[in-house]
Amino acid sequence: MLRTRLFLYLAPFVIILVGGGVYSIVLFARLGNTVDTSVTDSYQCFTAASAMSLALAGMDREVSWVVAGSRPGEKNNLLVYPKRNIDKRAFGENRRRFEENLDLLLKASTLPGEKPLSEQVATHFQAFLKAVNTINSLDFPENQRLVYEQEVVPNGQMINQTLEKIHDLNHQAILGTSQNIRAITRDVTRLMLTGIVIAFLISAYAGYKLSRSILRPIQLLTRASRELGEGRLDQSVPVVTRDELGELARAFNQMAAQLQEYRQSTSEKIVRLHRTMETTLASFPDPIFVLDREGRIELKNPAADGLIAGLKLAGQLPEKLQPIARNTLDSGENFLPNSFEDAVTYRLNGEDKFFLPRVLAMRGKDDALLGVAVVLYDVTRFRLVDAAKTDLVATVSHELKSPLTSVRMALHILLEKTVGVLTPKQDELLVAARNDTERLLRILNDLLDLARLEEGNAALRLEPVAPAALLAVVMQEMVDKFSDKNLNVNCVVEPDLPAVSVDRQRIDHVFSNLVSNAIKHSPANGAITLRAGMAEDDSVEFSVTDQGPGVPEEYQSRIFERFFRVPGQAKTGAGLGLSIAREITLSHGGRIGVRSAPGRGATFFVVLKNADSSTA
C-alpha cells in the first residue's frame, strides 16, 4: 500500500530527527542545570569575597583612627592625647555586612578546597573581633597601638589573603565552566551535523524513490487531466501498481471513457436544442435581441435583423432602447411597461411602427446576471384600435351631448311649471330624470375632456400661482360638502414655497376631484388633510389624505385608468375623475400617484414644477 511505502521511506529520517532532538533536549537541560548551579554559586562567592574585603577595610579604618588618636581633618595635640573609642555605628555597619556575606560564603562554598578557606576566614574574623574588643577596653594609646599591630593587622592580612584565594578559586571555576560549555557545544554541534548529513542522505534517497514511484504517476495523471480539460477526451494513464495510485489511474481512465461517451450522446442533444431555440426565435414575429453582460448583441431573430436593416443600425441595438437595456444590466431589474406611453416609434417601409419594449434579465443558477433579452412587441394595431376607440368615444359623446342638452332644458322647463301644474308623482319623476340627465352630461363632458387631453389638443393657459392660493380655492369650493359629513379639514402649507406654473381652471379640476373622492370615502366626523410642501426635485408636492378604507396595493397601478373602480366599494361613479386628473397633471409636466395601505386611508399626491424651473 502507498501508506506503508511512505512510512518505510520516511521512518529512518524521523527516527534520526527524534533521537537527535531528544538527546539535545536532555543534554541542554543538564547543561543548563549545571551552569545554573556552578556559575550561580561561584558568582555569589565571588561577590561575597569582594564585599567582605571592603567591609574588612572599613572596620580596619575605624580601628586605625582610634589607635592613631585622630580622624582625618582633626589636629593631633601631642601634649594632650586622650583615649578614643571605636565608632560603634560605622564599625557595626561594616561588621554586619561582613558577617552577612560570610554566611552566604559558607552556604555557597561548593568548589573543592573552598569550604576550608571559608572556615579560615571565619576563624581569623573572630580573632580580629577579639583584638578590636581588647583595643576598645584599653586605656592607654600605647597599649592600643601595640594590640593593633600585633593582633588586628595580622588577622586582617590573613583574612584578605584567604579572601583573595577564594576570589581566584571562583574566578577559575567560572572560566572552567565557560570552557566546559564550549566543549559540550562543540560535541553537540558535531553530533547534530552528523545527524543532519545522515538525514539528508536518507531524505535524498527517499525523495528519489518517491519521485519514481509516486511523483511520476502523478505527473502523468496531471498531464492527462490537462488534456482532458482542453477537450481531448481520448486520454488514458498506465496502471503500474495496485495501490492507491493504481486505483486513481483506473478511476481516471474510467471517467475519461464515460466523458467521451457522454459527449457523443449529448452533442446531438445540444445541436438539436440549439436548432430548436433558433427555430423558436425565428417563429416570433416581434424583434428579439439577446445581449451579453457588456451589452453586445449575442443573438437575434429574423424580425430583429429586419428592424436593424430597415433602420440601418449596423448591427447595433436601436438608440432609444440602449439606455433601457443598460439600466437593466446595471440594476438587474426587469423593465415591463404596460402603457402605450412607453412605446417607441420607428419608420419602416413608409409606415410608422409602434413597439412596446420589454427588457428581461437573464440569470444563471447562482443568480448571477448573464445578460438581458430585449423583446419589442408590435403594438401598432393596438395603438390604432385605441385611437379609434378614443375617436369613437369622443364622437359619440359629442353627438349625444346636443340632444342630452335639449332633454335637460326640457326637464328644467317642466320642473319650473311654466307649462302647467305637475302632480307630486310627476314632479318626483322629473327630478329623478333631471338628476340622471345632469349625471350623464357630466360623464359626456368628462369623456370629451379626456379625449382632448389624450390627443394633446388641450391648450393650457399657464400662469404662476402660489400653492396656498390653489388650496384656498378648493377649500372654499368644498366647504358645504365638508359640513354635510361634519369632516375636520386641516390645510398645511410649508412656508416659502415657490409658485407653480399651472392652468388654474384645469388644475382646480384636479384638486376638486381629489378632495371630492376624499370626502366620498371618508367616514362621518372623520378628518381630511390637505398639504403642500417641497419635493425632492425642487418641485412642489400637493397631497390629499383621507381616513377611508384605502386602496389595496394590487389596484394602485390601475386606479388612474379610465372607468376603473376598486372592486368591492359601494361608492358610485363613472371612474373617469382620476383619469382626467392624471391627464391634466401630465399635460402640466407633473406626476400624480397614490400612497395607501388597506384600512389606513389613502394619500393622493400631485407634483408640479415650480414657476422658475418651468420658465428655465
Side-chain angles (χ1 to χ4, degrees):
M1 299 297 290
L2 181 60
R3 186 183 298 109
T4 305
R5 292 165 59 189
L6 290 174
F7 176 77
L8 293 177
Y9 285 142
L10 298 179
F13 178 74
V14 174
I15 292 172
I16 292 175
L17 288 181
V18 172
V22 171
Y23 175 75
S24 299
I25 292 173
V26 173
L27 183 62
F28 282 117
R30 186 183 304 168
L31 181 61
N33 293 331
T34 303
V35 170
D36 183 63
T37 302
S38 61
V39 173
T40 301
D41 293 343
S42 298
Y43 179 75
Q44 289 178 349
C45 293
F46 184 87
T47 55
S50 300
M52 291 167 66
S53 297
L54 294 175
L56 181 64
M59 290 185 290
D60 183 79
R61 182 174 58 252
E62 292 296 327
V63 176
S64 65
W65 287 343
V66 172
V67 173
S70 64
R71 293 179 179 272
E74 294 180 353
K75 292 183 178 180
N76 187 7
N77 190 346
L78 299 177
L79 299 177
V80 180
Y81 195 16
K83 173 189 175 183
R84 291 180 179 272
N85 294 322
I86 298 173
D87 187 350
K88 294 182 179 180
R89 185 184 62 81
F91 185 86
E93 179 65 25
N94 287 300
R95 176 181 177 180
R96 182 189 60 77
R97 186 167 51 180
F98 187 93
E99 289 175 345
E100 289 177 354
N101 285 279
L102 178 59
D103 292 339
L104 180 62
L105 183 63
L106 291 171
K107 293 177 181 179
S109 298
T110 57
L111 297 177
E114 186 178 11
K115 191 70 173 179
L117 292 176
S118 299
E119 293 174 352
Q120 290 180 14
V121 171
T123 301
H124 290 298
F125 181 65
Q126 293 300 322
F128 177 86
L129 291 177
K130 183 178 179 180
V132 170
N133 291 330
T134 301
I135 291 175
N136 204 31
S137 63
L138 295 175
D139 293 332
F140 297 101
E142 293 81 1
N143 295 333
Q144 291 178 337
R145 186 179 302 108
L146 182 62
V147 173
Y148 176 76
E149 292 176 351
Q150 292 180 355
E151 296 184 16
V152 173
V153 172
N155 283 296
Q157 291 176 350
M158 292 298 297
I159 292 173
N160 281 327
Q161 291 175 2
T162 307
L163 289 177
E164 185 67 25
K165 292 179 181 179
I166 294 173
H167 185 280
D168 293 341
L169 184 63
N170 283 280
H171 180 69
Q172 293 298 327
I174 293 174
L175 293 179
T177 302
S178 176
Q179 294 174 357
N180 188 27
I181 291 174
R182 284 197 294 270
I184 295 175
T185 302
R186 285 195 300 270
D187 295 338
V188 172
T189 302
R190 190 179 300 111
L191 178 63
M192 292 301 295
L193 288 176
T194 303
I196 291 173
V197 171
I198 296 174
F200 175 76
L201 294 176
I202 293 175
S203 62
Y205 176 76
Y208 172 75
K209 296 294 291 183
L210 286 175
S211 64
R212 289 182 58 86
S213 61
I214 298 177
L215 296 182
R216 180 59 179 172
I218 292 177
Q219 291 174 352
L220 293 176
L221 188 61
T222 302
R223 186 180 302 110
S225 300
R226 189 179 297 112
E227 296 289 335
L228 192 67
E230 294 176 356
R232 292 185 285 272
L233 303 181
D234 54 343
Q235 301 294 320
S236 64
V237 294
V239 180
V240 296
T241 60
R242 295 184 179 181
D243 54 12
E244 289 84 351
L245 291 176
E247 291 292 334
L248 180 61
R250 281 189 291 271
F252 177 84
N253 294 334
Q254 185 178 1
M255 178 190 67
Q258 291 177 351
L259 287 176
Q260 192 169 8
E261 293 178 2
Y262 178 76
R263 184 172 66 176
Q264 292 175 355
S265 62
T266 56
S267 296
E268 295 180 359
K269 293 182 181 179
I270 295 174
V271 172
R272 185 168 60 254
L273 288 174
H274 184 71
R275 290 177 180 175
T276 302
M277 182 182 63
E278 290 183 343
T279 304
T280 303
L281 289 177
S283 64
F284 278 93
D286 299 319
I288 299 177
F289 300 88
V290 178
L291 310 182
D292 61 9
R293 190 66 182 83
E294 303 300 326
R296 295 184 295 266
I297 297 177
E298 282 189 333
L299 188 64
K300 56 185 181 296
N301 64 349
D305 289 329
L307 179 64
I308 290 177
L311 299 178
K312 300 179 181 180
L313 298 177
Q316 295 183 353
L317 196 68
E319 184 176 356
K320 295 180 181 179
L321 303 177
Q322 292 179 6
I324 302 174
R326 174 49 56 186
N327 182 62
T328 302
L329 286 171
D330 294 338
S331 64
E333 297 180 358
N334 297 331
F335 178 73
L336 304 173
N338 295 315
S339 174
F340 288 145
E341 297 177 358
D342 296 312
V344 294
T345 307
Y346 297 110
R347 188 75 175 175
L348 296 174
N349 300 324
E351 298 180 358
D352 288 333
K353 292 287 187 178
F354 296 89
F355 296 96
L356 187 63
R358 297 172 70 86
V359 183
L360 305 173
M362 300 184 301
R363 301 183 180 276
K365 293 182 179 180
D366 56 351
D367 203 37
L369 187 65
L370 303 178
V372 296
V374 181
V375 183
L376 300 180
Y377 290 99
D378 189 351
V379 294
T380 304
R381 291 182 303 166
F382 300 106
R383 282 292 299 265
L384 294 176
V385 171
D386 186 69
K389 179 191 67 175
T390 302
D391 293 340
L392 178 61
V393 170
T395 301
V396 172
S397 300
H398 185 271
E399 294 299 327
L400 290 177
K401 183 176 181 180
S402 297
L404 189 59
T405 303
S406 300
V407 173
R408 173 175 172 270
M409 186 179 298
L411 291 174
H412 277 279
I413 293 173
L414 291 175
L415 288 172
E416 290 175 359
K417 302 178 182 180
T418 57
V419 295
V421 180
L422 301 174
T423 64
K425 187 62 176 178
Q426 290 173 340
D427 187 75
E428 181 182 353
L429 292 175
L430 288 175
V431 169
R434 184 193 61 185
N435 292 337
D436 290 340
T437 304
E438 294 287 351
R439 179 171 173 271
L440 287 174
L441 191 59
R442 285 197 301 271
I443 293 175
L444 290 177
N445 288 331
D446 289 344
L447 287 172
L448 290 174
D449 288 341
L450 186 59
R452 284 193 294 269
L453 290 170
E454 289 180 345
E455 292 177 359
N457 296 329
L460 300 179
R461 298 178 180 179
L462 301 178
E463 58 178 313
V465 183
L470 293 176
L471 295 184
V473 171
V474 71
M475 289 278 292
Q476 185 177 1
E477 291 178 352
M478 298 294 175
V479 64
D480 293 336
K481 294 183 178 181
F482 293 146
S483 300
D484 292 342
K485 296 188 68 172
N486 194 24
L487 296 174
N488 182 21
V489 183
N490 299 316
C491 184
V492 181
V493 181
E494 294 183 3
D496 302 326
L497 290 179
V500 292
S501 181
V502 295
D503 184 322
R504 293 204 59 167
Q505 182 179 359
R506 293 190 177 278
I507 211 68
D508 285 345
H509 181 80
V510 174
F511 292 150
S512 298
N513 182 273
L514 297 181
V515 174
S516 297
N517 283 342
I519 294 174
K520 185 187 302 183
H521 294 91
S522 293
N525 303 318
I528 295 177
T529 302
L530 281 69
R531 185 182 301 272
M534 292 299 298
E536 296 180 355
D537 55 354
D538 201 26
S539 300
V540 180
E541 179 179 306
F542 300 85
S543 63
V544 179
T545 303
D546 59 49
Q547 294 180 339
V551 181
E553 185 177 358
E554 61 268 23
Y555 301 122
Q556 293 180 12
S557 60
R558 301 186 57 195
I559 194 68
F560 296 99
E561 294 180 4
R562 285 176 293 181
F563 306 108
F564 179 80
R565 294 175 57 194
V566 176
Q569 290 189 358
K571 304 299 181 181
T572 61
L576 292 174
L578 291 178
S579 299
I580 295 175
R582 175 177 178 272
E583 295 299 331
I584 294 175
T585 303
L586 294 178
S587 66
H588 281 78
R591 62 182 185 275
I592 188 172
V594 61
R595 293 186 287 265
S596 177
R600 298 183 181 179
T603 299
F604 286 86
F605 62 90
V606 175
V607 180
L608 299 174
K609 297 180 180 179
N610 65 57
D612 295 336
S613 63
S614 299
T615 303

